[in-house]
Amino acid sequence: MASPKRILVVCQHYWPESFRITDICDYFVECGYEVDVLCGLPNYPKGELFPGYSWKGPYSERHRGVRIFRAPEIPRKGNTGVRIFLNYVSFPITSIFRLPALIFNRYDRIFLYQLSPVMMSIAGIVLGRIKRVQTTMYVLDLWPENLFSVLPVGNPLARRLATAVSHWHYRQVDKMVVLSSLMKERVLEASKLAPEKVVVLPQACEKFYEVDIVDESLAERFSGRFNVVFTGNISPAQSFETMIEAAELLRDRGHQEVRWIIVGDGMSRREIESSVESRGLSDCFEFIGQVSPEEIPAYTTIADVLVGCLVKSDLLEATIPAKVLSYVAAGRPVVLAMDGEVGELIRDSGCGRVGPAGDAQTLASNLESILSLPESERQRMGVNARNYHFKHLERNIVLGRLTDFLFKP
């Protein structure tokens, strides 16, 4: 009897941090594969090590059938530019020193789940070269563009260096998975891979996003107003300034019933809360803070509309954020201020409105148009969203395609 195929997954972030690579690994296990993960010590998004973790480890664990190898990293504590930089460079270095624990294992494929920084993939690239195992990189944060959208790197030499380092990583892998056709164009140019070695796939959201969760206490707490719900990371890329300006516009137009419910945390949260307060919008916003992913459906269930914004960026035009896919699965109207291919998704599904990134006027008008619809029309948009999800974006459909591509010669 043949041994099960074995996959090594390399990503700085993994359980108990809330990233979708955990669900992808669960899917691999469900398919009968043996899975090892090389990752860091969990500290995202607050930059503090999770309870039960310290510099002493644990550095080896098992979770839902996955064997986990951890490497130390400098936490992002404070989420300052310096701490983020130190976090970015520490894991790529320390992960190399974990290779002796992996080098004698048999792997059929190496899967690099590339968030920021791109350098987090280096240990998997090195091991793939040593063992001559096919490597596939799943590009979620396109570098160096993602770096430049978060940190103000103005020095021309630093920008050239970041570009060279990023493109070097992309040239070292055998295959790539990307999120959009525009992203495919960019990685083909950077990586020099043949077009058939790069596939476009959406992100797959976890199954729990598909189910309404009725929390009576939340329903009572947020009843009587029009709930605009945001879920996810609070970072510079999310363009909260656009949301705040739209909230001002709606208030000035007399829509006192609109309430913005912000579910999540991140490096920009304090700045955003201060901006809301300074503009006299505290009565319009409620910041929930970080909740577990499994709790998010309780908040999307009370939403009249789900909202998302991104800053104007060539990089971000090439992405379809995971947040949007979970919004579609939640079965509620969706209003976005984003450029690029994400607009086609919302228009094709008939589940909401899309305006340009950074355009608070259009965001406010789109929210106003949803607000003016009868409840039956809003429900119809939610049904459209969920129907589109189950036809095109459902987890097992997408991850089945990912797995087929991973094991394709």
Side-chain angles (χ1 to χ4, degrees), residues 347-387:
R347 287 187 286 269
D348 290 347
S349 62
C351 72
R353 308 275 191 271
V354 181
D359 188 338
Q361 288 278 355
T362 301
L363 177 62
S365 296
N366 282 338
L367 287 167
E368 198 171 33
S369 74
I370 301 294
L371 174 60
S372 67
L373 291 174
E375 179 62 26
S376 60
E377 279 297 298
R378 293 203 293 266
Q379 289 179 352
R380 182 185 62 79
M381 295 174 80
V383 170
N384 289 346
R386 215 165 243 170
N387 287 343

Side-chain angles (χ1 to χ4, degrees), residues 39-189:
C39 60
L41 292 172
N43 69 96
Y44 186 92
K46 292 185 177 181
E48 300 171 358
L49 292 176
F50 280 42
Y53 294 88
S54 70
W55 287 106
K56 297 180 180 179
Y59 288 105
S60 297
E61 296 181 274
R62 281 190 177 271
H63 177 69
R64 295 205 292 249
V66 174
R67 190 166 57 164
I68 303 170
F69 298 83
R70 297 194 185 274
E73 62 181 87
I74 297 174
R76 304 162 60 104
K77 190 173 181 65
N79 282 310
T80 63
V82 171
R83 291 297 298 222
I84 290 174
F85 172 78
L86 292 174
N87 179 260
Y88 276 3
V89 300
S90 60
F91 176 79
I93 295 170
T94 61
S95 63
I96 292 291
F97 290 94
R98 293 293 278 154
L99 290 182
L102 304 171
I103 199 165
F104 296 109
N105 295 335
R106 174 186 61 83
Y107 294 114
D108 298 283
R109 291 291 187 270
I110 296 176
F111 183 58
L112 313 172
Y113 193 79
Q114 187 249 301
L115 300 159
S116 291
V118 67
M119 299 88 72
M120 69 169 60
S121 305
I122 186 63
I125 290 171
V126 171
L127 191 64
R129 288 295 184 89
I130 293 173
K131 297 180 69 66
R132 298 182 180 180
V133 177
Q134 186 183 97
T135 54
T136 298
M137 179 181 282
Y138 194 160
V139 182
L140 291 103
D141 291 351
L142 186 64
W143 268 56
E145 292 88 344
N146 187 270
L147 172 67
F148 299 155
S149 73
V150 175
L151 296 177
V153 182
N155 182 281
L157 178 61
R159 292 179 71 91
R160 287 198 297 271
L161 178 61
T163 300
V165 169
S166 301
H167 290 184
W168 181 89
H169 284 76
Y170 292 150
R171 290 195 299 271
Q172 307 311 308
V173 299
D174 298 300
K175 297 192 297 188
M176 302 177 86
V177 181
V178 296
L179 303 179
S180 69
S181 298
L182 182 55
M183 186 181 280
K184 180 174 180 176
E185 291 177 15
R186 295 183 182 181
V187 300
L188 284 174
E189 182 179 353

Side-chain angles (χ1 to χ4, degrees), residues 5-11 14 21 25 28-29 33-39 61-62 65-69 101-107 109-111 127:
K5 292 185 183 298
R6 175 175 281 184
I7 304 169
L8 172 66
V9 175
V10 179
C11 180
Y14 192 68
I21 185 56
C25 290
F28 290 156
V29 172
Y33 301 116
E34 293 183 354
V35 182
D36 291 352
V37 172
L38 174 60
C39 60
E61 296 181 274
R62 281 190 177 271
V66 174
R67 190 166 57 164
I68 303 170
F69 298 83
L102 304 171
I103 199 165
F104 296 109
N105 295 335
R106 174 186 61 83
Y107 294 114
R109 291 291 187 270
I110 296 176
F111 183 58
L127 191 64

Side-chain angles (χ1 to χ4, degrees), residues 97-406:
F97 290 94
R98 293 293 278 154
L99 290 182
L102 304 171
I103 199 165
F104 296 109
N105 295 335
R106 174 186 61 83
Y107 294 114
D108 298 283
R109 291 291 187 270
I110 296 176
F111 183 58
L112 313 172
Y113 193 79
Q114 187 249 301
L115 300 159
S116 291
V118 67
M119 299 88 72
M120 69 169 60
S121 305
I122 186 63
I125 290 171
V126 171
L127 191 64
R129 288 295 184 89
I130 293 173
K131 297 180 69 66
R132 298 182 180 180
V133 177
Q134 186 183 97
T135 54
T136 298
M137 179 181 282
Y138 194 160
V139 182
L140 291 103
D141 291 351
L142 186 64
W143 268 56
E145 292 88 344
N146 187 270
L147 172 67
F148 299 155
S149 73
V150 175
L151 296 177
V153 182
N155 182 281
L157 178 61
R159 292 179 71 91
R160 287 198 297 271
L161 178 61
T163 300
V165 169
S166 301
H167 290 184
W168 181 89
H169 284 76
Y170 292 150
R171 290 195 299 271
Q172 307 311 308
V173 299
D174 298 300
K175 297 192 297 188
M176 302 177 86
V177 181
V178 296
L179 303 179
S180 69
S181 298
L182 182 55
M183 186 181 280
K184 180 174 180 176
E185 291 177 15
R186 295 183 182 181
V187 300
L188 284 174
E189 182 179 353
S191 68
K192 310 304 181 185
L193 287 171
E196 65 271 16
K197 296 297 183 181
V198 181
V199 67
V200 178
L201 284 176
Q203 296 188 68
C205 67
E206 295 87 340
K207 296 292 288 181
F208 54 74
Y209 286 107
E210 302 167 354
V211 181
D212 290 348
I213 295 179
V214 178
D215 184 314
E216 296 293 347
S217 63
L218 282 181
E220 181 178 355
R221 176 181 170 188
F222 293 111
S223 65
R225 293 177 70 179
F226 186 81
N227 294 323
V228 178
V229 175
F230 169 94
T231 70
N233 187 30
I234 303 176
S235 74
Q238 305 305 315
S239 189
F240 268 85
E241 185 64 27
T242 305
M243 284 186 254
I244 293 170
E245 289 183 19
E248 279 188 311
L249 290 168
L250 290 170
R251 181 196 59 187
D252 293 346
R253 294 174 190 176
H255 294 294
Q256 303 298 328
E257 72 274 35
V258 176
R259 169 172 45 201
W260 299 69
I261 302 170
I262 311 302
V263 184
D265 207 338
M267 63 187 295
S268 299
R269 179 177 173 180
R270 291 181 183 176
E271 176 186 344
I272 299 308
E273 287 181 318
S274 296
S275 180
V276 165
E277 184 177 357
S278 67
R279 298 192 191 196
L281 292 168
S282 297
D283 290 343
C284 303
F285 279 80
E286 184 141 2
F287 290 84
I288 304 300
Q290 190 78 13
V291 302
S292 70
E294 292 82 0
E295 294 178 84
I296 288 176
Y299 291 91
T300 57
T301 298
I302 62 167
D304 294 292
V305 63
L306 298 167
V307 68
C309 299
L310 290 175
V311 296
K312 187 168 284 294
S313 161
D314 291 343
L315 156 75
L316 298 176
E317 286 185 27
T319 66
I320 297 179
K323 172 202 326 297
V324 174
L325 302 174
S326 62
Y327 281 1
V328 173
R332 294 293 184 274
V334 179
V335 172
L336 306 175
M338 298 181 184
D339 297 326
E341 295 183 23
V342 69
E344 296 177 22
L345 167 62
I346 300 304
R347 287 187 286 269
D348 290 347
S349 62
C351 72
R353 308 275 191 271
V354 181
D359 188 338
Q361 288 278 355
T362 301
L363 177 62
S365 296
N366 282 338
L367 287 167
E368 198 171 33
S369 74
I370 301 294
L371 174 60
S372 67
L373 291 174
E375 179 62 26
S376 60
E377 279 297 298
R378 293 203 293 266
Q379 289 179 352
R380 182 185 62 79
M381 295 174 80
V383 170
N384 289 346
R386 215 165 243 170
N387 287 343
Y388 188 91
H389 165 79
F390 280 111
K391 185 175 181 179
H392 300 285
L393 304 172
E394 189 270 335
R395 177 229 195 206
N396 293 338
I397 294 173
V398 174
L399 295 187
R401 292 172 60 195
L402 172 64
T403 305
D404 290 344
F405 181 73
L406 181 64

